[in-house]
């Protein structure tokens, strides 16, 4: 708990313990992207997440996501 408060105080994002990359993407698209971009842009981001990111990384818990996961996705 102390680590989470410390991370929050330093401005680091706080991952929910069991949140997956797919959960995060859904929340990010709805809460951050949708209010700040035009609808076609939001739709394009949503489509990229659905077609590419979620199938490859969606099942990984956010707390367990490592650079190796990202590199494997890029490769």
């Amino acid at each position: 708990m102390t680590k989470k408060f410390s991370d929050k105080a330093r401005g680091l994002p706080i991952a929910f313990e069991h949140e997956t990359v797919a959960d995060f993407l859904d929340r990010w698209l709805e809460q951050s992207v949708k209010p700040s971009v035009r609808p076609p842009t939001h739709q394009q981001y949503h489509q990229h997440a659905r077609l590419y990111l979620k199938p490859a990384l969606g099942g990984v818990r956010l707390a367990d996501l490592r650079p190796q996961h990202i590199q494997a996705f890029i490769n």
Side-chain angles (χ1 to χ4, degrees):
M1 181 70 94
T2 303
K3 180 174 177 356
K4 290 197 185 276
F5 282 126
S6 173
D7 288 349
K8 184 177 181 183
R10 293 186 309 177
L12 297 174
I14 298 176
F16 298 103
E17 190 171 328
H18 298 288
E19 183 177 35
T20 64
V21 172
D23 296 333
F24 171 80
L25 286 170
D26 290 339
R27 186 169 44 83
W28 174 73
L29 285 165
E30 189 63 30
Q31 295 176 2
S32 297
V33 175
K34 192 173 186 177
S36 64
V37 299
R38 294 185 346 205
T41 303
H42 175 260
Q43 182 59 36
Q44 186 177 31
Y45 284 18
H46 183 271
Q47 185 175 10
H48 284 250
R50 181 176 55 82
L51 294 175
Y52 306 110
L53 295 170
K54 286 183 181 181
L57 299 169
V60 178
R61 285 183 359 164
L62 206 53
D64 296 334
L65 187 63
R66 300 286 178 260
Q68 294 86 345
H69 292 108
I70 306 300
Q71 190 62 55
F73 171 73
I74 292 170
N75 291 344

